[in-house]
């Protein structure tokens, strides 16, 4: 039985009656206590109702808990921050069969949970019910019934390094679309990518060197083919153009619209001195400023690991940890040209320059090794707990998996880092309040974003505590993103003021960057800036919540997901 204790109050001297007489402080306290007692009387026997697991029982216990909190304040002069506080003060008697968790914030029976959200006064919530009504979309990973999954099995893939140095290129598992083809490169063999995954080596480095790649775009996603993993480096192709190179800075060249023809790009790089690029043996660019070597290597993308993927066919990649002489470079270009049917000036060569640091050759299918069959519950739809909104994979490949312990032991939808879940039809033409609970599990690009405009909240390009609502909300600094979980809240009074909060603490505001997202995206933005992230909950309101409502929502989410509010 939930019971609320009354408090004896000593009365002061009587006051003369009169039409203007108000209430004394003592009388107000007495009135509060009486209300608490009446509330407790109204729920006599709730302890036995709760054992039946009815929603009404939880609601009745919620009323009793509110009354107990009022009594606790009257008895102690402080707000209750846990159920344990109220039990210790004698204001609350626990229902039969109920237990309280170690933090004192959740009272549980076999059938329901009652949560205490600390505040002035505290708020109580039955189960996982939002404490604020009217959300237009609510994606909750704890609501397993709202997540549709299909089991997807795939092999991890490794492209073997023929140099003997063990610098293999590897794809994550599942490795969407990495394959070997006997004819993809104009009738010759190639390793193919579909723009949904990459082959990468995270540790390959050289202080100086020479790099060669034979490849082509195959249509669809035409961004990068050969790239760095840990720095901004690309050779050959970028964003629908070719004859480009970016070695932590652009090499000046005349870019050309990309096509599907096979090309050979080669470069020699002496950092701090000079870099030079050739296409099919003809020099197209040189620089004394953009002279960085790639740190790590990627085939099929990707800018800082998270975006700019391509559908491509790659036949051969060579990396040397020395600057080849002109003779050696031309020898290697002629060898590759003869091997892959390209026209390269000069006499054909039977061999390439010796002793590469890494060598990937698609001639043989056996160089592409499939390992480690992995199966996962891929998310095919994440449905809103309120309304009819649905987040679904933007393209065919799974955009994430459901993990019952992916968020520090709690449920999460874990995005893949190569695709995103989107609801392009979500429209917020007016004001909005948006909250997201998530943590990056890979390099952080965007976690919560839009589909139809440039909008993001929380994370971007390896940073956190950032927001871009069609323009930046300027704050004191961009803190490096960590693997820790955070709650970000945006309150947007469109055309007037936008405010951003991190874990309940104010971060930044703007009177100019006040747009709301057009469409909703989880795990990326459009076809780029993907992030592997554990996303626990996203809540969207089409109005500005009051300060008290926002704090109540934040307290609820923090208690639910084990976060500490500032």
């Amino acid at each position: 039985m939930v019971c609320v204790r009354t408090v004896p109050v000593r009365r002061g001297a009587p006051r003369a009656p009169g039409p203007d007489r108000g209430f004394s402080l003592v009388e107000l306290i007495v009135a509060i206590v009486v209300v608490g007692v009446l509330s407790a009387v109204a729920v006599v026997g709730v302890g036995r109702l709760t054992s039946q697991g009815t929603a009404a029982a939880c609601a009745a216990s919620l009323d009793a808990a509110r009354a107990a909190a009022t009594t606790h304040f009257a008895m102690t002069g402080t707000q209750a921050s846990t159920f344990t506080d109220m039990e210790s003060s004698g204001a609350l008697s626990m229902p039969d069969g109920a237990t309280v968790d170690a933090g004192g914030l959740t009272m549980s029976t076999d059938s329901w949970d009652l949560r205490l959200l600390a505040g002035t006064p505290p708020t109580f919530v039955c189960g996982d019910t939002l404490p604020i009504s009217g959300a237009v979309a609510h994606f909750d990973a704890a609501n397993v019934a709202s997540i549709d999954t299909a089991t997807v099995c795939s092999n991890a893939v490794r492209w073997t390094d023929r140099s003997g140095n063990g610098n293999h290129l590897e794809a994550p598992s599942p490795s969407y679309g990495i394959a070997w083809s006997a004819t993809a490169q104009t009738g010759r063999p190639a390793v193919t990518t579909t723009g949904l995954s990459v082959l990468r080596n995270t540790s390959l480095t050289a202080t100086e060197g020479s790099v060669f790649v034979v490849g082509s775009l195959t249509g669809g996603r035409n961004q990068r083919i050969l790239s760095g993993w840990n720095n901004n480096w690309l050779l050959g192709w970028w964003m629908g153009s070719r004859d480009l190179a970016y070695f932590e800075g652009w090499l000046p060249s005349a870019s050309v619209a990309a096509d599907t023809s096979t090309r050979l790009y080669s470069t020699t790089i002496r950092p701090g001195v000079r870099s030079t690029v050739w296409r099919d043996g003809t020099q197209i660019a040189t620089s004394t400023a953009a002279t960085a070597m790639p740190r790590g290597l990627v085939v099929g993308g990707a800018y800082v690991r998270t975006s700019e993927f391509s559908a491509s066919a790659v036949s051969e990649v060579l990396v040397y940890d020395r600057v080849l002489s002109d003779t050696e470079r031309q020898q290697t270009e002629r060898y590759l040209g003869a091997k892959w049917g390209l026209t390269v000036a000069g006499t054909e060569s039977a061999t390439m320059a010796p002793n590469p640091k890494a060598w990937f050759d698609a001639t043989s299918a056996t160089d592409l090794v499939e390992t480690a069959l992995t199966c996962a519950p891929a998310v095919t739809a994440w449905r809103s707990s309120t309304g009819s909104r649905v987040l679904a994979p933007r393209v065919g490949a799974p955009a994430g998996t459901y993990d019952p312990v992916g968020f520090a032991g709690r449920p999460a939808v874990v995005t893949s880092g190569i695709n995103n879940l989107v609801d392009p039809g979500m429209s917020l033409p007016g004001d909005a309040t948006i909250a997201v609970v998530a943590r990056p599990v890979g390099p952080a690009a965007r976690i919560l974003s839009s589909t139809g405009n440039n909008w993001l909240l929380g994370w971007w390009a390896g940073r956190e505590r950032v927001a871009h609502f069609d323009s930046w909300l300027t704050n004191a600094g961009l803190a490096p993103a960590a693997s820790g979980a955070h709650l970000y809240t945006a309150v947007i009074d469109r055309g007037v003021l936008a405010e951003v909060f991190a874990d309940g603490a104010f971060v930044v505001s703007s009177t100019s960057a006040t747009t709301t997202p057009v469409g909703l995206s989880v795990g990326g933005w459009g076809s780029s800036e993907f992030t592997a992230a554990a996303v626990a909950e996203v809540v969207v309101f089409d109005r500005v919540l009051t300060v008290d409502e926002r704090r109540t929502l934040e307290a609820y989410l923090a208690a639910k997901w084990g976060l500490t509010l500032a």
Side-chain angles (χ1 to χ4, degrees), residues 10 89 95 218 300 326 328 330 357 429 432 456 465 555:
R10 185 166 57 89
S89 70
T218 56
D326 284 344
E328 288 179 311
Q330 290 168 357
K357 185 170 185 176
L456 67 89
R465 297 171 65 85

Side-chain angles (χ1 to χ4, degrees), residues 231-421:
N231 65 335
N232 195 353
W233 189 99
L234 66 88
L235 175 62
W237 301 264
W238 181 72
M239 297 294 284
S241 296
R242 60 176 174 86
D243 293 0
L244 293 170
Y246 190 95
F247 303 162
E248 293 287 8
W250 287 111
L251 278 75
S253 65
S255 66
V256 180
D259 52 28
T260 57
S261 298
T262 305
R263 311 282 176 185
L264 160 62
Y265 289 100
S266 50
T267 182
T268 57
I269 303 172
R270 184 170 281 118
V273 180
R274 181 176 294 278
S275 63
T276 307
V277 175
W278 294 264
R279 183 203 66 241
D280 300 332
T282 300
Q283 181 176 319
I284 59 173
T286 188
S287 175
T288 57
T291 60
M293 284 289 291
R295 298 199 302 271
L297 198 69
V298 187
V299 167
Y303 171 54
V304 290
R305 316 179 194 179
T306 62
S307 63
E308 299 187 9
F309 304 119
S310 285
S312 65
V314 181
S315 291
E316 196 151 354
V317 179
L318 286 163
V319 180
Y320 293 85
D321 57 359
R322 60 191 176 89
V323 174
L324 299 187
S325 68
D326 284 344
T327 299
E328 288 179 311
R329 173 185 56 77
Q330 290 168 357
Q331 171 192 354
T332 304
E333 289 169 341
R334 291 164 185 164
Y335 161 78
L336 292 171
K339 183 175 180 179
W340 298 107
L342 303 174
T343 301
V344 176
T347 305
E348 293 182 0
S349 172
T351 61
M352 63 189 193
N355 302 319
K357 185 170 185 176
W359 176 18
F360 307 100
D361 183 354
T363 302
S364 173
T366 60
D367 279 7
L368 199 67
V369 181
E370 294 189 349
T371 60
L373 182 68
T374 301
C375 298
V379 174
T380 58
W382 191 1
R383 288 175 282 103
S384 173
S385 300
T386 60
S388 59
R389 307 311 317 175
V390 178
L391 291 167
R394 182 186 53 81
V395 291
T401 57
Y402 172 73
D403 188 340
V405 294
F407 193 85
R410 296 170 169 85
V413 170
V414 181
T415 57
S416 65
I418 59 171
N419 198 2
N420 46 342
L421 291 159

Side-chain angles (χ1 to χ4, degrees), residues 2-50:
V2 177
C3 298
V4 180
R5 178 181 169 187
T6 60
V7 185
V9 181
R10 185 166 57 89
R11 293 184 177 276
R15 298 180 62 186
D20 296 326
R21 180 180 181 273
F23 293 98
S24 70
L25 177 62
V26 172
E27 288 170 324
L28 286 172
I29 292 175
V30 170
I32 291 170
V33 172
V34 169
V35 170
V37 171
L38 291 175
S39 297
V41 170
V43 293
V44 170
V46 161
R48 290 178 173 76
L49 281 174
T50 60

Side-chain angles (χ1 to χ4, degrees), residues 30 42 60 89 130 139 149 181 202 243 249 278 288 306 349 400 441 444 488 506 522 545:
V30 170
S89 70
L130 279 176
F139 302 100
T149 61
S181 169
T202 63
D243 293 0
W278 294 264
T288 57
T306 62
S349 172
V441 296
Y488 287 101
F506 174 78
V522 170
L545 297 189

Side-chain angles (χ1 to χ4, degrees), residues 82-84 87 92 94 98-108:
T82 66
F83 284 109
T84 308
E87 189 176 23
L92 175 69
M94 294 292 294
T99 59
V100 173
D101 69 351
L105 297 175
T106 303
M107 178 196 300
S108 301

